[in-house]
Amino acid sequence: GRVERAGKGSKSPQRMLVLPPVPLPLPLSMSPLSPPSPLPKSSPSMSKTLQHDSGSGHFINAHTQVHVMPVCLYLCVLSFILCSQKRQTPPRFLLSSLEQSEKMDYGALVQELGGEFLDSEYFTTKCTHLVVGKASRTEKYLGACASGKWVLHKSYLESCRAARKFVEEEPHEWGGVATGCVSHSLETAPRYWRLELDKQKQPCSQDKLREAFGAFRGWKASGLPLLSPSTPSLPQVLLFVERSRLAGLKRLLEAGGATVLPTASLKSLDGLLQDTATHAFINMAHFPKHLSVDALVELKVHCLRPDYIAEYLSKGAAVSLEQSYLPCVRACMQK
């Protein structure tokens, strides 16, 4: 709006705020100072009649000088309108371990109910829900566990179909009552990690949460003490695996809060500082001959089998880190 000087009728020159018309759910004449009375149909437009009285802090009608709404109340009502008009972010679904016909059916159902179907072959952290036909060590399933997403049985979408809306997730969660498993395993991992990562969110600010959030938060370098829960550990990972697994493992580790360091141009370990890399997942058949595992061990880097990632997500702290070391590393430790 524009700022104008008061007219001749005012006692002293005052600055008045002329506002554009705004649809309000309440009559403009409502005020703690006067009983409600709707504006007459023949009154001029709101942009010409509503002015701000800097003395009282209220909006006034320029023609009748009647208080119509305090500034604070006006702003509260306006904020409520704008917030209510904002569309909530729709749930975004990934599907996995389903027949092609089921994927097409459920994908159409999600869109019909107002959600978003992510027709992706790979895991993406953009999703909010994953619906799977069975628990398996796929990238999508493990990625959803590592990032604390909802991982649900097919029964969830069937319940949504019957209710014609998105229903409560927890009764259909893998690891919940719908699974029927009691031990911590691949089937119960989704619920376990979702609840664990919910605890991570509470002590962290939004900036800290973006920096380090996921199942791999807290991984530490060999020989270093665990950091306090309020100081997230940022695992730095080296991957020496077959090319076909490289991209998928990278997405999985990043979904769980780890940083994957580049290895393609790594000519030597001279530039690899002691506190840079914390873990290396190594398939010896794809480990560069010009590098040395012993040198990584000296730099206090955990040298592990790639399968440790899935085992950790399935069993949590119950999995033995030492038992997952490469055979050559275990032999070195026993000397």
Side-chain angles (χ1 to χ4, degrees):
R2 64 183 184 278
V3 176
E4 296 179 348
R5 292 287 179 183
K8 296 180 180 179
S10 56
K11 295 180 181 179
S12 60
Q14 296 178 351
R15 296 178 68 83
M16 295 172 292
L17 180 64
V18 182
L19 296 172
V22 178
L24 294 173
L26 301 173
L28 288 173
S29 58
M30 287 189 67
S31 165
L33 305 178
S34 61
S37 58
L39 290 176
K41 295 182 179 179
S42 59
S43 63
S45 66
M46 187 188 309
S47 61
K48 295 181 180 179
T49 59
L50 276 185
Q51 298 172 349
H52 179 249
D53 186 336
S54 59
S56 66
H58 295 172
F59 286 102
I60 61 173
N61 186 302
H63 297 283
T64 63
Q65 296 294 311
V66 176
H67 290 269
V68 292
M69 183 176 288
V71 175
C72 59
L73 179 58
Y74 178 88
L75 294 178
C76 287
V77 173
L78 180 60
S79 176
F80 174 79
I81 294 172
L82 294 177
C83 289
S84 63
Q85 289 176 347
K86 283 185 179 179
R87 192 177 175 184
Q88 290 186 344
T89 304
R92 296 181 291 272
F93 285 81
L94 278 175
L95 304 176
S96 183
S97 301
L98 299 172
E99 298 293 335
Q100 186 61 31
S101 58
E102 290 179 309
K103 287 184 179 180
M104 294 177 63
D105 176 37
Y106 288 143
L109 175 62
V110 165
Q111 293 175 324
E112 181 183 339
L113 297 178
E116 185 177 346
F117 171 45
L118 304 177
D119 190 9
S120 173
E121 184 180 351
Y122 310 112
F123 177 75
T124 170
T125 53
K126 293 180 180 179
C127 78
T128 58
H129 298 68
L130 172 68
V131 175
V132 297
K134 63 179 180 180
S136 59
R137 291 190 175 191
T138 62
E139 178 190 329
K140 287 183 181 179
Y141 190 89
L142 295 176
C145 292
S147 52
K149 307 294 185 182
W150 284 106
V151 183
L152 306 170
H153 290 265
K154 294 188 293 183
S155 60
Y156 173 75
L157 288 176
E158 293 298 342
S159 295
C160 292
R161 192 198 305 274
R164 305 309 304 160
K165 64 178 182 179
F166 292 118
V167 299
E168 185 182 353
E169 294 93 344
E170 198 162 357
H172 306 275
E173 185 176 24
W174 278 90
V177 294
T179 305
C181 296
V182 291
S183 62
H184 184 64
S185 62
L186 191 61
E187 288 77 17
T188 59
R191 178 175 172 81
Y192 171 82
W193 285 114
R194 183 182 63 80
L195 296 178
E196 282 295 308
L197 298 188
D198 278 348
K199 297 175 187 176
Q200 278 190 23
K201 296 177 184 178
Q202 297 171 8
C204 291
S205 66
Q206 282 299 319
D207 290 338
K208 289 285 186 183
L209 199 57
R210 281 190 290 270
E211 289 174 7
F213 174 78
F216 308 133
R217 171 185 184 249
W219 276 4
K220 62 185 181 68
S222 177
L224 297 180
L226 279 171
L227 300 177
S228 65
S230 60
T231 308
S233 169
L234 298 174
Q236 310 283 312
V237 177
L238 298 167
L239 283 175
F240 299 101
V241 297
E242 51 270 43
R243 186 180 295 272
S244 61
R245 298 185 66 190
L246 185 60
L249 286 176
K250 184 175 184 292
R251 285 190 292 268
L252 173 56
L253 288 163
E254 289 174 344
T259 298
V260 178
L261 303 174
T263 57
S265 58
L266 193 62
K267 302 300 181 183
S268 70
L269 299 176
D270 296 337
L272 195 64
L273 300 178
Q274 179 173 347
D275 57 351
T276 299
T278 58
H279 297 69
F281 295 99
I282 302 172
N283 180 334
M284 289 305 296
H286 298 271
F287 189 73
K289 294 181 179 179
H290 62 275
L291 300 180
S292 167
V293 173
D294 291 342
L296 284 173
V297 174
E298 289 179 6
L299 290 172
K300 299 191 179 301
V301 176
H302 293 291
C303 297
L304 302 155
R305 296 181 288 105
D307 290 343
Y308 173 77
I309 302 171
E311 291 173 5
Y312 175 79
L313 289 173
S314 300
K315 303 175 183 177
V319 64
S320 169
L321 185 68
E322 289 73 18
Q323 291 299 317
S324 300
Y325 283 147
L326 295 174
C328 60
V329 176
R330 289 205 306 272
C332 230
M333 292 173 63
Q334 292 171 357
K335 290 180 181 180

